Amino acid sequence: MKKALWVWAGILIVYIAAVSAYFHYQPAGYVPESLRGGPADPATFMTADKIESIHKLSTVKYISYFISTPLEWTIMALLLVFGVSAWFRNKAEAVFSASFLRLGLFLLMFQLTFQLLELPLDIFLHRLNMDYGLSNQSFGSWMGDLAKSFGVNFIVSLVIYGLLMWVMKKSPRRWWLWGWLASIPLALFFSLVQPIVLDPVFNDFKPLQDQQLKQDILKLAGEAGIPADQVYQVDKSKQTNTINAYVNGIGPSTRIVLWDTTLQKLKKDEILFIMAHEMGHYVRHHVLWGTLYGIAESFAGFWFVYLLWEAVRSRWGAAMGLRGRLDIAGLPVLLLIVNVLTFAAAPLDNAVSRNHEHSADQYAISLMQDSGAGVRAFQQLAANSLSDVNPPKLVQFFLGTHPTLAERIDYFQHYPITGDSHQYEQRTLS
């Protein structure tokens, strides 16, 4: 085991050096030759200083992500290898006799430890967002949101792991199958309650104050067949200066939501274009197809988790102080396996997501027939969110849930629209 740790440490050092070098030498504001000088080229709608700021910020965030991910796996592994997880279990057993309460205390200790270990990086990234003007949230308010997030995650984890342990006890060899079946209604339930229970924990939602804009959006929603009679605005400006809008929920919990930053920074036609994109997901049944894809993928995921869990438990369980299949000290093994498999599946998931996002873009431009609004909206998204319009291929492969902003702007620009009123108008440097 110690030899394996030394080998892993060596691999990690080489990996960190390679990742750092890869991102360090990426050029600032790069777009393909075919896009240079056009609306997808950041040099046409941003200053050189802003382009350089975006490059520096993106480089730090890219390196942070690609280094922190394997470091998180390493931390989880070390907590297991050095018996910390088994120690948490022993403490939980010493305090409580009821298995559910033991599970709760174990998860609390494990998640709190992990949160504290990640806290320095979280604070660094928060300060980075503050320094670059992406956030104006005070440290106290940010810590409050972090605490709320921790509480929500703890409750959700307790429910999920509690059900999983019960299923593992009832069916030691088929728990992965029953767990997969149980995950389907559970995921639908969380999709239902998120807009009305979970989201309001972090922000205040209220009806859109601009009545004319509200009617215009509801008119679009009616054309899309979205069962909504209200549009909400949310006070995201207390946390971020970036812009966004979305449609979430299912059935009676469906909500059309605009960040207040979007209302402040975008023109009416740009807002309507973004909302048309979000509605495109509904019209083209992306939620349904995404749900079916997720169900199929999770079937394979549960099976792989089961196989790997049994292999790890049989090979190294005793060395980690695990007593058997139902030992709560083994839950971090499950979490580690899930995290690694999720990372491995990300490229395929991203490809599916990018397909849906492009389809929603197609719907928005065909509905609005306004390429100018689409171009300007996504230029503003890049400028206000300090987003890399053409991220490195490695980033797009592992993190690209959307087509690049350069690709999207270029698509809108070349969409065949007749009439002079919808032609692209280049913005002045901002």
Side-chain angles (χ1 to χ4, degrees), residues 170-300:
K170 294 294 182 180
S171 183
R173 297 295 180 184
R174 294 288 183 269
W175 62 262
W176 66 273
L177 179 60
W178 301 117
W180 170 70
L181 291 171
S183 72
I184 299 172
L186 199 61
L188 293 175
F189 172 74
F190 280 117
S191 295
L192 178 68
V193 304
Q194 178 179 341
I196 54 180
V197 177
L198 300 181
D199 289 348
V201 171
F202 300 93
N203 292 95
D204 292 327
F205 292 77
K206 63 182 179 181
L208 181 61
Q209 302 299 292
D210 187 331
Q211 294 302 309
Q212 184 57 56
L213 179 59
K214 172 184 172 181
Q215 294 306 315
D216 291 337
I217 293 174
L218 289 177
K219 181 180 178 181
L220 286 178
E223 295 174 7
I226 296 177
D229 56 5
Q230 186 59 272
V231 181
Y232 294 88
Q233 62 184 67
V234 56
D235 60 340
K236 290 295 290 187
S237 58
K238 72 179 185 180
Q239 295 149 332
T240 180
N241 292 320
T242 60
I243 58 179
N244 197 14
Y246 60 86
V247 178
N248 71 340
I250 56 175
S253 71
T254 300
R255 277 190 172 186
I256 302 172
V257 181
L258 283 161
W259 288 12
D260 57 350
T261 51
T262 303
L263 294 170
Q264 296 162 8
K265 297 180 179 182
L266 294 189
K267 297 178 180 179
K268 179 181 176 181
D269 61 341
E270 297 165 354
I271 293 173
L272 291 176
F273 192 95
I274 288 178
M275 293 310 302
H277 165 90
E278 298 301 332
M279 293 172 189
H281 288 304
Y282 183 93
V283 172
R284 299 197 169 178
H285 309 294
H286 293 156
V287 173
L288 172 61
W289 292 116
T291 300
L292 294 176
Y293 168 77
I295 290 172
E297 184 184 45
S298 65
F299 177 84

